[in-house]
Amino acid sequence: MEENKQKTIAVLTSGGDAPGMNAAVRAVVRTGCENGARVLGIRRGYAGLMENDITELNIRSVSDIIHRGGTKLHSARSKRFCTEEGMAEAIQVCRNNDISGIVVIGGDGSFRGARDLSLRGVNCVGVPGTIDNDIACCDYTIGYDTALNTIMDMVDRIRDTSESHERCSVVEVMGRRAGYLALNAGIAIGATAILLPEIDFDIERDVIDRIRRTQRTGKKHFIIVVAEGVADSMKAQGIEGVSGLSAYIQENLKVESRATVLGHVQRGGSPSVKDRVVGSTMGNYAAHLLLSGVGNRVVAMQKEQIVDYDIFEALKMTKTIDMDMYRAALEIGI
Ligand code: ATP
């Protein structure tokens, strides 16, 4: 009797939203349904799990979402989930709904939650969904390509006006601990200087002197890309945020300067081809792991292949910025 029991799996999105999360949700739901499972959608991440904010999904429930940014399941951050009481509530809700496993789409914080649930008997499989591309075990995270293209598009517009007025534009992009967005966007838009959280910098040497050198070659407009995570390092050098850096450039170089914080525009928008395809294939892979009874895994992309790792191992891994790429950016950004 027990062997024939229909399996119930669930899916949630957690942490910061990322374009392509919907493709992953859709893939999990359809893979589950096509393989005879009951599939539940948990709204608002772990907060919704503790509150039993759960609905049954079918193949048609996830129609018309592959091309939409954000996440139809909504996302949240929950401190309570990290407590013993919160975790116990979540486990109880899983038991009440007969949930044998959950696909958790989010960043490394969400994977820590998935690890803790797995340890308590609820199989979880993590799928990397974050625009920062900062998950150590993955070459690529869902949402990164779309966010990069959005940044490039926005900065191209800023560049048009910057060139017309012979200005310097200082642009802050997302990335609290990781500079992948800033580095790749900086290369794509031809930035004169790029400040990243992973690399020590000196404002005089790495910004002011670089602008001076570029001025000597005849250039009159400049883009400086700053990852949000460098705020403290700038502060230690007496510069308060991108508006402080813009004012400093204007004062020291007599170049009219403006600051732009791109902010949440970087998270939104219709996912790129890459994010739809990677989201779909990772969601399909994750659902198959759960359906075969495997949990405590993270799905990852390595050298264009989809693979999976033990969550404990994945969380221990570290990822560094590509210094050759950084050096190349400096050499050609003059
Ligand atoms: P992003 O990269 O977009 O920030 P994230 O998944 O890393 O995504 P977090 O806010 O770090 O985002 O984590 C999402 C949620 O995962 C948290 O609100 C919390 O409920 C849960 N979580 C985070 N860290 C832990 C932990 N150490 N143990 C258990 N649960 C955690």
Side-chain angles (χ1 to χ4, degrees):
M1 196 66 179
E2 191 59 19
E3 291 120 59
N4 295 329
K5 203 175 142 202
Q6 188 186 29
K7 211 172 196 130
T8 300
I9 64 168
V11 55
L12 63 80
T13 50
S14 168
D17 66 325
M21 278 183 162
N22 279 328
V25 168
R26 171 179 177 270
V28 172
V29 172
R30 291 194 172 168
T31 306
C33 293
E34 281 290 276
N35 287 278
R38 179 171 160 252
V39 186
L40 304 179
I42 300 167
R43 290 192 209 90
R44 298 183 294 110
Y46 295 126
L49 174 61
M50 289 181 298
E51 293 163 23
N52 197 31
D53 191 357
I54 295 175
T55 186
E56 186 165 344
L57 301 172
N58 61 41
I59 284 176
R60 292 275 73 80
S61 327
V62 287
S63 294
D64 283 327
I65 65 169
I66 194 166
H67 59 300
R68 294 188 198 281
T71 159
K72 286 301 263 187
L73 286 178
H74 302 274
S75 191
R77 301 188 201 266
S78 166
K79 287 211 171 89
R80 180 167 171 73
F81 176 73
C82 303
T83 65
E84 272 310 318
E85 301 79 57
M87 193 61 65
E89 282 170 24
I91 296 289
Q92 193 54 52
V93 169
C94 290
R95 290 206 183 109
N96 295 346
N97 287 284
D98 211 17
I99 293 172
S100 65
I102 306 175
V103 175
V104 173
I105 306 166
D108 51 5
S110 303
F111 293 170
R112 289 193 171 84
R115 170 203 60 196
D116 293 351
L117 285 174
S118 297
L119 277 174
R120 289 161 176 81
V122 179
N123 274 344
C124 286
V125 175
V127 170
T130 170
I131 64 165
D132 294 336
N133 201 25
D134 63 348
I135 298 181
C137 68
C138 309
D139 288 348
Y140 187 81
T141 60
I142 298 165
Y144 178 57
D145 183 60
T146 308
L148 261 184
N149 278 291
T150 303
I151 296 170
M152 185 181 71
D153 201 33
M154 295 296 127
V155 181
D156 280 350
R157 288 158 198 250
I158 293 170
R159 191 192 170 108
D160 287 344
T161 170
S162 192
E163 186 187 1
S164 304
H165 289 268
E166 300 186 334
R167 274 185 196 137
C168 175
S169 290
V170 182
V171 183
E172 182 189 286
V173 304
M174 281 188 174
R176 281 195 302 270
R177 286 164 295 139
Y180 306 105
L181 279 175
L183 177 57
N184 284 272
I187 291 174
I189 51 95
T192 300
I194 306 170
L195 303 183
L196 310 174
E198 296 92 337
I199 299 176
D200 287 340
F201 60 86
D202 176 78
I203 295 288
E204 290 303 325
R205 182 194 61 206
D206 298 312
V207 180
I208 302 297
D209 286 352
R210 281 188 64 80
I211 296 177
R212 275 205 191 100
R213 275 188 58 205
T214 312
Q215 279 177 316
R216 287 199 290 273
T217 67
K219 189 162 176 168
K220 294 197 166 58
H221 64 97
F222 316 91
I223 305 279
I224 311 300
V225 173
V226 178
E228 62 178 333
V230 307
D232 287 347
S233 311
M234 288 207 299
K235 199 168 181 179
Q237 298 180 45
I239 307 280
E240 283 284 348
V242 281
S243 50
L245 181 56
S246 167
Y248 189 78
I249 291 168
Q250 182 155 317
E251 200 180 300
N252 285 272
L253 295 170
K254 309 294 173 230
V255 176
E256 194 187 342
S257 195
R258 295 277 190 284
T260 306
V261 177
L262 289 184
H264 282 98
V265 73
Q266 296 163 90
R267 283 199 186 282
S270 179
S272 67
V273 170
K274 179 157 182 166
D275 285 324
R276 294 181 199 196
V277 173
V278 175
S280 298
T281 49
M282 282 187 173
N284 173 258
Y285 190 108
H288 276 295
L289 286 176
L290 279 189
L291 291 169
S292 54
V294 176
N296 198 41
R297 307 295 291 178
V298 174
V299 175
M301 180 174 274
Q302 285 286 353
K303 298 188 172 65
E304 303 298 314
Q305 295 292 315
I306 299 195
V307 295
D308 58 287
Y309 292 100
D310 177 272
I311 297 187
F312 289 94
E313 296 307 317
L315 288 171
K316 273 193 238 152
M317 293 180 187
T318 52
K319 188 170 174 178
T320 52
I321 204 89
D322 184 339
M323 286 306 289
D324 289 338
M325 208 165 169
Y326 178 68
R327 276 189 284 271
L330 294 189
E331 219 165 272
I332 59 183
I334 220 71

